[in-house]
Amino acid sequence: MRNLAKVMYKPMRQQRDDETPEDVFYFVDFQRHNAEIASFHLDRILDFRRVPPVAGRQLNITGEVLHVTHNEDLRSVFFTSPANNTCFFAKCLYMCKTEYAVCGSPNHLEGSMSAYLPSLSMAPRVSIPNPWTRSYTFTGRQEWEDNPFYCDTVKQQPPYNSGNRLLNIIDMSIFDFLTGNMDRHHYEIFSNFGDEGFLLHLDNARGFGKHSHDEMSILAPLTQCCIIKRSTLLRLQLLAQSAFSLSDVMRESLQSDPLHPILTEPHISALDRRLHKVLSAVQQCVRRLGEDEVITNDFIKPTRYPRWKFDEAP
Amino acid sequence: MRNLAKVMYKPMRQQRDDETPEDVFYFVDFQRHNAEIASFHLDRILDFRRVPPVAGRQLNITGEVLHVTHNEDLRSVFFTSPANNTCFFAKCLYMCKTEYAVCGSPNHLEGSMSAYLPSLSMAPRVSIPNPWTRSYTFTGRQEWEDNPFYCDTVKQQPPYNSGNRLLNIIDMSIFDFLTGNMDRHHYEIFSNFGDEGFLLHLDNARGFGKHSHDEMSILAPLTQCCIIKRSTLLRLQLLAQSAFSLSDVMRESLQSDPLHPILTEPHISALDRRLHKVLSAVQQCVRRLGEDEVITNDFIKPTRYPRWKFDEAP
């Protein structure tokens, strides 16, 4: 936290065993610090490596933030609660009323710390609407929700008509389906790598809201396009083996975080159940279209290599 | 609900056994429909009779509201939740984002129905800041919170320097202390009766938030002014007798409501505990100042009699 590194901090707002109420829309759901942490681990286990590092941390918000900041705006959001705990609220465009304040106990507060990406001037990136975005309204629907041939349209449009982009979107939908994150309205890529840039899996805080429900619509890119990278499929098949199950690997990986346990057991075991649903979806595609149509080699090598090779292993 | 009567509807937002989290300020606490109902009953039992009638009711928000209204604004706040329940959100100045939506199950929703007061043109009324109002900010404090002689100042100012007004404020603070309602920033009176109008105990939805805590500061008007109406004291003493205890009378009274049980047992028994604290506060005043100073006859008869005599019995 000194002057050396900059992190994005998301405080704890919800207990580990709280489930998102069934009437709550994805876009008004809480952001969960533990979902950020767990998503980082999952992304690494899936070998996507597109989530910047995230770790949990107990913060003394009085000693480590309020008393050391010289930023008046930051100081002004701090207050003491009726129970004498130190609290603060966020100042932002949406959803930042006092009801969204978070409080320490009395000063200590759990949170997730995500590594900041290089500044936009150093490493410019663009935010691109997800073709399978949802309608962020109570009543609206998107074309993909009603048109089973939606992918045919997407496939014809750049940048989805060549290279890895569509396959990367499908990877992302598998990742989001496993965490239950419905809140993927945009994705980001570093613009220096042109259309070959990998997708950043940023902002995963609305995953892991319900362990008892598998939101199949998140898989629409896979089920509608019926293609998947061979490397992704092999990894998923590996993690579906009982000797090397996704839940076991996740459990072990999450133990390294200072705030472990990060996920409750029902959330961890939901990963295995969902993984099997992904593999079933692939199987159905194969049955319908044949393996050659569905399981694609990871196409094209990047035309320009980045200095740091963030992108996926073969 | 037809065309004959107009009511104020407050929907259920919280389960009966939820307690207000300890970090939540009174002014961002939920409004509780059952607190409205219980406060009406309590007010009647205390013989204040200053809360307009309130009753609980199960409403079919689809059949009885959405499908019968011709008001486009009202229709526009309805939507269907992810769990297929009918929901609506309020349109208002404060705290009316989608997070505050309430949902039926799937159409049925509990709520409190308060009788509407006559229109302001028929029965004009004024809203007057409570001298013991709280600071509606995270850090501010009001003079009464730090100055034990605050009442001396209030007593010298009209309308508190004559008539029943100050005694009525003290009645109200006893009422609010019993329910635990800290959200009494204003009070209303019908202006036709001049300074002799009785106080309306409107908007009691933030009472009954915590059964395990007695917020002594609500009693400040009583403890700082050390006066109380004889009629009020006699009533409180009556209800402190074990044969006629406040909790028993409340329990019996609340059973008549269609939504009973209205309060959980811990909330009902808290009434007895708090009643004894009120009586102790009076006793301390008497010990310090003598009975003649503290227990006042209900002063002055109203100079102009209203056509309907709403005001307190002798």
Side-chain angles (χ1 to χ4, degrees):
Chain A
M1 281 292 281
R2 297 273 181 265
N3 291 322
L4 301 170
K6 220 171 152 183
V7 295
M8 164 94 77
Y9 176 65
K10 292 199 181 170
M12 173 159 137
R13 293 182 177 270
Q14 187 175 311
Q15 297 300 315
R16 302 281 197 283
D17 50 1
D18 287 345
E19 275 213 282
T20 300
E22 58 166 10
D23 284 325
V24 166
F25 277 80
Y26 44 92
F27 54 89
V28 293
D29 191 11
F30 272 126
Q31 306 227 10
R32 282 170 287 274
H33 74 307
N34 62 326
E36 287 283 7
I37 301 166
S39 298
F40 164 67
H41 287 257
L42 177 65
D43 185 75
R44 228 171 22 136
I45 290 166
L46 296 173
D47 206 23
F48 292 146
R49 298 171 189 268
R50 296 166 193 164
V51 178
V54 184
R57 165 107 192 256
Q58 278 274 8
L59 205 64
N60 180 332
I61 54 174
T62 309
E64 294 181 271
V65 183
L66 178 59
H67 288 171
V68 295
T69 184
H70 298 289
N71 182 326
E72 260 313 307
D73 278 349
L74 180 57
R75 296 167 77 94
S76 72
V77 298
F78 278 79
F79 63 93
T80 304
S81 85
N84 264 327
N85 294 319
T86 300
C87 310
F88 63 90
F89 55 91
K91 273 193 181 168
C92 54
L93 288 173
Y94 309 105
M95 303 209 304
C96 282
K97 300 194 63 118
T98 55
E99 298 76 16
Y100 301 103
V102 287
C103 298
S105 174
N107 300 302
H108 282 81
L109 183 61
E110 282 192 13
S112 65
M113 301 276 192
S114 308
Y116 240 61
L117 293 172
S119 74
L120 285 175
S121 60
M122 223 172 118
R125 51 184 205 274
V126 283
S127 176
I128 300 170
N130 178 359
W132 278 269
T133 186
R134 291 170 195 275
S135 152
Y136 279 67
T137 64
F138 289 126
T139 47
R141 288 178 72 79
Q142 294 287 309
E143 191 190 337
W144 66 266
E145 297 181 78
D146 299 312
N147 175 5
F149 306 107
Y150 177 71
C151 186
D152 296 340
T153 319
V154 176
K155 271 178 177 167
Q156 286 160 19
Q157 289 163 357
Y160 306 106
N161 59 352
S162 70
N164 283 328
R165 184 68 64 87
L166 186 57
L167 288 165
N168 285 338
I169 294 275
I170 288 164
D171 280 354
M172 183 170 67
S173 78
I174 293 168
F175 173 67
D176 286 337
F177 173 72
L178 291 172
T179 71
N181 178 16
M182 300 169 77
D183 188 30
R184 187 70 68 191
H185 40 88
H186 287 72
Y187 60 89
E188 294 195 41
I189 59 167
F190 287 111
S191 41
N192 278 347
F193 310 126
D195 282 345
E196 299 308 329
F198 69 104
L199 272 57
L200 283 157
H201 296 171
L202 291 182
D203 200 357
N204 304 301
R206 284 189 171 134
F208 298 103
K210 294 180 190 169
H211 54 72
S212 47
H213 173 74
D214 303 334
E215 182 55 45
M216 296 309 297
S217 68
I218 305 175
L219 267 190
L222 171 64
T223 56
Q224 294 185 347
C225 301
C226 266
I227 49 172
I228 186 171
K229 284 187 204 174
R230 186 177 303 277
S231 62
T232 300
L233 181 60
L234 287 173
R235 190 71 168 195
L236 297 178
Q237 284 169 338
L238 178 68
L239 292 163
Q241 290 175 22
S242 60
F244 197 65
S245 78
L246 177 55
S247 59
D248 287 340
V249 183
M250 270 294 275
R251 197 179 294 107
E252 196 181 323
S253 181
L254 291 173
Q255 260 165 18
S256 66
D257 192 273
L259 298 183
H260 80 88
I262 299 298
L263 293 178
T264 59
E265 271 303 311
H267 278 294
I268 290 184
S269 52
L271 290 170
D272 288 335
R273 187 182 69 226
R274 289 174 190 159
L275 177 56
H276 282 103
K277 291 191 177 173
V278 176
L279 292 173
S280 296
V282 175
Q283 227 165 21
Q284 275 180 29
C285 288
V286 168
R287 218 174 288 138
R288 190 151 60 87
L289 302 168
E291 212 175 289
D292 290 351
E293 279 289 303
V294 175
I295 303 164
T296 71
N297 289 319
D298 306 20
F299 302 146
I300 294 162
K301 293 232 161 141
T303 43
R304 295 190 296 165
Y305 254 90
R307 198 151 68 100
W308 309 282
K309 193 167 180 303
F310 287 109
D311 208 349
E312 58 271 344
Chain B
M1 281 291 283
R2 297 274 181 263
N3 291 323
L4 301 170
K6 221 171 154 183
V7 296
M8 164 96 76
Y9 176 66
K10 293 199 180 171
M12 173 160 136
R13 293 183 178 268
Q14 187 176 312
Q15 297 300 317
R16 301 282 198 283
D17 50 1
D18 287 345
E19 274 215 281
T20 299
E22 58 167 8
D23 284 326
V24 166
F25 276 79
Y26 44 91
F27 54 89
V28 292
D29 191 11
F30 272 126
Q31 306 227 10
R32 282 169 287 276
H33 74 307
N34 61 327
E36 287 284 7
I37 300 166
S39 297
F40 164 67
H41 286 257
L42 177 66
D43 185 76
R44 231 174 19 140
I45 289 167
L46 295 172
D47 207 24
F48 292 146
R49 300 171 188 269
R50 295 165 193 167
V51 178
V54 184
R57 165 106 191 256
Q58 278 273 9
L59 206 63
N60 180 332
I61 54 174
T62 308
E64 294 182 271
V65 183
L66 178 59
H67 288 171
V68 295
T69 183
H70 298 290
N71 182 327
E72 260 314 306
D73 278 348
L74 181 56
R75 296 168 77 95
S76 72
V77 298
F78 277 80
F79 63 93
T80 304
S81 85
N84 264 327
N85 294 318
T86 300
C87 309
F88 63 89
F89 55 91
K91 274 192 181 169
C92 54
L93 288 173
Y94 309 105
M95 303 210 303
C96 282
K97 301 194 63 120
T98 55
E99 298 76 16
Y100 301 102
V102 286
C103 298
S105 173
N107 301 301
H108 281 82
L109 183 62
E110 281 192 13
S112 64
M113 301 276 193
S114 307
Y116 240 60
L117 293 171
S119 73
L120 286 174
S121 59
M122 224 172 118
R125 50 184 206 272
V126 283
S127 176
I128 300 169
N130 179 359
W132 279 268
T133 186
R134 291 170 195 274
S135 153
Y136 279 67
T137 63
F138 288 127
T139 48
R141 287 179 72 79
Q142 294 287 309
E143 190 189 338
W144 65 266
E145 297 181 77
D146 299 311
N147 176 6
F149 306 108
Y150 176 71
C151 186
D152 294 341
T153 320
V154 176
K155 271 177 176 167
Q156 286 161 19
Q157 289 162 355
Y160 306 105
N161 59 351
S162 69
N164 284 327
R165 183 69 63 88
L166 186 56
L167 288 165
N168 285 338
I169 294 275
I170 289 164
D171 281 353
M172 184 169 66
S173 78
I174 293 168
F175 173 67
D176 286 337
F177 173 72
L178 291 171
T179 71
N181 179 17
M182 299 169 78
D183 188 31
R184 187 70 69 193
H185 40 88
H186 286 74
Y187 60 88
E188 295 194 41
I189 59 168
F190 287 110
S191 41
N192 278 349
F193 309 127
D195 281 345
E196 300 307 330
F198 69 104
L199 272 57
L200 282 157
H201 295 171
L202 290 183
D203 199 357
N204 304 301
R206 285 189 170 134
F208 298 102
K210 295 181 189 166
H211 55 72
S212 47
H213 173 75
D214 304 333
E215 181 54 46
M216 295 309 297
S217 68
I218 305 174
L219 266 189
L222 171 64
T223 56
Q224 295 185 345
C225 301
C226 266
I227 49 170
I228 186 172
K229 284 187 201 173
R230 185 177 303 278
S231 61
T232 300
L233 181 60
L234 287 173
R235 190 71 168 195
L236 297 178
Q237 285 170 336
L238 179 68
L239 292 163
Q241 291 177 21
S242 61
F244 197 64
S245 79
L246 177 53
S247 59
D248 287 341
V249 183
M250 269 295 274
R251 196 179 294 107
E252 196 182 323
S253 181
L254 291 174
Q255 259 164 19
S256 66
D257 191 273
L259 297 183
H260 79 89
I262 299 299
L263 294 177
T264 59
E265 271 303 311
H267 277 293
I268 291 183
S269 52
L271 290 169
D272 289 335
R273 185 182 69 227
R274 291 174 189 159
L275 177 56
H276 281 102
K277 292 191 177 174
V278 176
L279 292 173
S280 295
V282 175
Q283 227 164 21
Q284 275 180 29
C285 288
V286 168
R287 219 173 289 136
R288 188 152 60 88
L289 302 168
E291 210 175 291
D292 290 352
E293 280 288 302
V294 175
I295 303 163
T296 70
N297 289 318
D298 307 20
F299 302 145
I300 293 163
K301 292 232 164 141
T303 43
R304 294 192 296 165
Y305 253 90
R307 199 150 67 100
W308 309 281
K309 193 166 180 304
F310 288 108
D311 209 350
E312 59 272 346

